[in-house]
Amino acid sequence: MTIRTILFDLDGTLIDTNELIIASFTHTLKQHTGKDYDRTEIFDFIGPPLRDSFEQVDATQVEEMVNTYREHNLANHDSYVTAYPTVIDTIQQLKREGYQLGIVTTKMKDTAIKGLKLTGMDDFFEVIIGLEDVNHAKPHPEPVIKALTKLDASPSSTLMIGDNYHDIESGKNAGTLTAGVAWSLKGREALESYQPDYMLDQMSDLLDILGG
């Protein structure tokens, strides 16, 4: 079946928030544990909801760490965040061609909208599913299914795109096609091991896939 609906993860897929996320984790972990974490250690925290990541560190300080992280993240947001190359032009083209577009993220919705507004993409998406909209975050299928329901879209004609295995697994669990992005912080090979249907070297590759 022809793809008519495209769902995107946000951070690390459409917008480059990697350095902001790393800085926010570094700040938070240092403040609450006294330990200096290096970048590779922090990579393991990126992708899941914040509470799940901080639960691994110290279950007694989860709420405090989430609050510290979000305060740092919001205060420094606009200094870091940019769209990845070819993303904005590609999204504009998809919108012109009539594709249904949605965001499925593990961020809170207001923070996701902040990033979309900063990069000029806040008018392109018909649905945004944030962490507060679901009981089960990716890789559970619920976030993708909720987006499909709001769009009245079929899984078989939908493509879920992301930079993390949570995105690929969530799409597969919901019955959609999936695509990974080669600019994933964890590396192309790590994402390819989850066998997405497509791998994008840049977002504009999506136009070739859809045209083919």
Side-chain angles (χ1 to χ4, degrees):
M1 184 180 287
T2 303
I3 295 169
R4 295 307 312 159
T5 304
I6 307 170
L7 303 178
F8 299 88
D9 174 54
L10 184 59
D11 288 9
T13 300
L14 295 180
I15 60 176
D16 186 352
T17 51
N18 289 332
E19 294 308 317
L20 173 63
I21 290 169
I22 291 167
S24 296
F25 270 117
T26 301
H27 168 80
T28 302
L29 293 166
K30 177 66 172 178
Q31 179 170 318
H32 290 277
T33 71
K35 178 183 173 184
D36 291 311
Y37 283 71
D38 66 33
R39 290 174 66 88
T40 54
E41 290 178 299
I42 287 171
F43 288 175
D44 291 335
F45 297 131
I46 299 174
L50 287 175
R51 283 182 176 81
D52 293 356
S53 293
F54 289 130
E55 184 85 29
Q56 301 174 44
V57 179
D58 184 350
T60 69
Q61 294 193 75
V62 171
E63 288 303 319
E64 293 88 341
M65 286 192 283
V66 167
N67 291 336
T68 299
Y69 177 100
R70 287 188 173 144
E71 182 179 334
H72 182 277
N73 194 274
L74 288 171
N76 294 278
H77 182 278
D78 291 4
S79 302
Y80 283 92
V81 176
T82 57
Y84 283 105
T86 78
V87 162
I88 293 175
D89 288 346
T90 301
I91 298 296
Q92 288 174 332
Q93 181 67 24
L94 294 172
K95 192 71 175 173
R96 281 194 296 269
E97 293 182 7
Y99 288 93
Q100 289 185 303
L101 305 178
I103 299 285
V104 180
T105 178
T106 53
K107 296 178 87 160
M108 300 298 282
K109 190 182 293 184
D110 60 348
T111 312
I113 292 170
K114 185 178 176 70
L116 290 170
K117 284 184 175 178
L118 182 66
T119 52
M121 292 190 286
D122 49 313
D123 290 333
F124 295 142
F125 300 95
E126 296 170 51
V127 64
I128 300 172
I129 302 298
L131 184 61
E132 70 268 45
D133 295 317
V134 297
N135 294 314
H136 306 283
K138 298 178 289 186
H140 194 281
E142 184 191 352
V144 172
I145 291 170
K146 184 154 279 192
L148 295 175
T149 300
K150 286 182 175 292
L151 293 169
D152 193 24
S154 167
S156 61
S157 62
T158 298
L159 178 65
M160 174 69 204
I161 302 174
D163 70 307
N164 200 292
Y165 83 86
H166 300 78
D167 307 307
I168 306 304
E169 294 289 285
S170 185
K172 286 187 174 188
N173 290 336
T176 74
L177 294 168
T178 58
V181 299
W183 54 94
S184 168
L185 188 64
K186 298 178 183 180
R188 180 189 186 116
E189 293 77 15
L191 207 51
E192 281 181 331
S193 70
Y194 291 92
Q195 300 182 311
D197 296 288
Y198 304 100
M199 181 63 72
L200 309 178
D201 288 311
Q202 57 184 357
M203 192 58 76
S204 58
D205 291 348
L206 187 53
L207 300 175
D208 295 329
I209 291 168
L210 296 169

